[in-house]
Amino acid sequence: MTAIDHQSAIEKAQLSELQPMLVGGQLKAADGGDTLPALNPTTGSALTTFPVARKPDVDEAVAAARKALAEGPWWKDWGPHKRAKCLRKLAELCRDRSRELSRIESLDVGMPRGFATKFSVAALVRNLEYYASWADKLYGSTIPQTSTNSLDYTRLEPYGVIASIISWNTPLLFVGSKLGPALATGNAVILKPSELACLGPLRVAELVQEAGIPDGIVQVLTGDGETGRLLVEHEGVDKVSFTGGRETARKVQVAAAKCLKPVLFELGGKSPNIVFDDADLGRATMMSTLGIFGLTGQACAAGSRLLVHRSVHDQLLGGIAAFAQGLQVGDPMDPATMLGPLISGQHKDRVQSFIDNGEPQGASLHLKAELRDGLADGTNFLGPHIFTGVAPGMTLWDDEVFGPVLSVTPFDSDEEALRLANQTQYGLAAGVWTEKLSRAHKMAAGLEAGVVWINNYGTLPNNVPFGGFKQSGWGKEGGRDALMEYTRVKNVLVDLS
Ligand code: NDP
């Protein structure tokens, strides 16, 4: 237990003893009555309980989704305008409840309240609105044929039932990025949040009917990894959209292969953030610090490997360490807090083991930010840590830590910077800090990453594609590209003779 008491926020969140899930238009408990506690990462106490969906619940949800697509109006009878109207209404309902939603996200994830409002909930609303606008702007093409007696055209059709399985770090953001493009293109979605943070998605589930979305088109099934597995293996699910770690992704791929089901993967990263000697060091210091320690390092695109030109290494390191030390760690409900707790004790132990192995493997611990009294022992809190001299082959270089740990490595030339940056199995994101235009574009071209930020780190507009290369993922979320992940192209050839 921590010294933190945010009881009033918990009361305002109005969580009932059991938060029901949404199946076929009904808010309900699991068929077998199984539940799990939703733990508050800040205090370790249970906030409430939630249902654990087992096979009968998964079967029921899949059947409801198939029925809604086959017999309901969503795809068959409604035009895209009506689907867009539902998405806009859902966005409006979420915006109206943004205080409530951000409070729940903050309690459930341990995310500082300001981040929950400006990042998670704002992205939820923006994504729903953005994809609502796309619904009536997607169309196929007419393809000229040699014979005038032939008409050929393409149709963009939904896959059908999408199982969207998400991780715990920004659940409300994921609700928007998964539902938006899938619904705009006419699919039905069964959303499976993580057992570690599912309360935000469950609160959005309560708004689905009011938004006018037909029963069975959006369903939220809570549970554990087994619930996710049942969804992936279900023959009635047409595509899986998965956000999580690569170990789980391997299992998902194997399970999906049994019925050759397509999969969209948004996975982890070990993203390089490269600072050259001609960079604006002031800005690079601030953004590089926030780029790793924001969300307590629990961000897929965190800039966890800082590669710095040797001539500015000590100056930049000094600036980042000073900035990081000043970041307040504590109650996510406190507006001054920049780093909330890690999601669980188990995750903290995992992050701590990376820290403990750093020096034995040859890195030097440059910063270990101390926690104030009451936060240190027996809690999920961990302050910023910085290691220097991190090199390929060390676990700090190779593996995703998903915690507040920055690895720093010097380089001497552009070629070395690029080689080091790409020396990873991941390829989610990368940052480049330089005032030299040609260097910036050459680095952008050479980096093996799905997202490159130049003189910036971590900005994520919702109208641009986001998704990794290599073992960081397949496919894109965000922007127009995400819509293509949820549509199939059908070609129609007509003989007019
Ligand atoms: P996990 O891979 O542990 O879990 C992801 C989801 O998969 C959870 O809902 C989990 O359920 C579920 N799951 C677990 N086992 C199975 C299974 N066998 N079949 C189907 N589903 C299963 O990841 P985390 O939740 O720990 O998330 C952290 C990871 O996610 C990091 O690697 C991070 O980088 C990545 N991530 C990637 C993002 C991106 O956009 N590229 C964004 C955010 C995070 P349960 O939790 O209930 O066990």
Side-chain angles (χ1 to χ4, degrees), residues 97-116:
R97 287 163 178 77
S98 57
R99 279 172 70 87
E100 176 190 343
L101 287 171
S102 71
R103 187 180 293 118
I104 291 175
E105 185 90 331
S106 186
L107 286 170
D108 201 21
V109 180
M111 184 189 295
R113 184 78 189 275
F115 280 60

Side-chain angles (χ1 to χ4, degrees), residues 165-169 174 192-195 223-225 228-229 232 242-245 248 251-252 266-268 300 400 402 428 466:
I165 299 172
I166 58 176
S167 75
W168 46 262
N169 61 330
F174 299 140
K192 192 329 236 154
S194 167
E195 65 194 283
D224 50 17
R229 189 188 65 79
V232 173
F242 174 86
T243 299
T248 316
K251 292 183 198 158
V252 169
E266 294 292 343
L267 311 178
C300 53
E400 183 184 39
F402 221 52
L428 188 53
F466 179 82

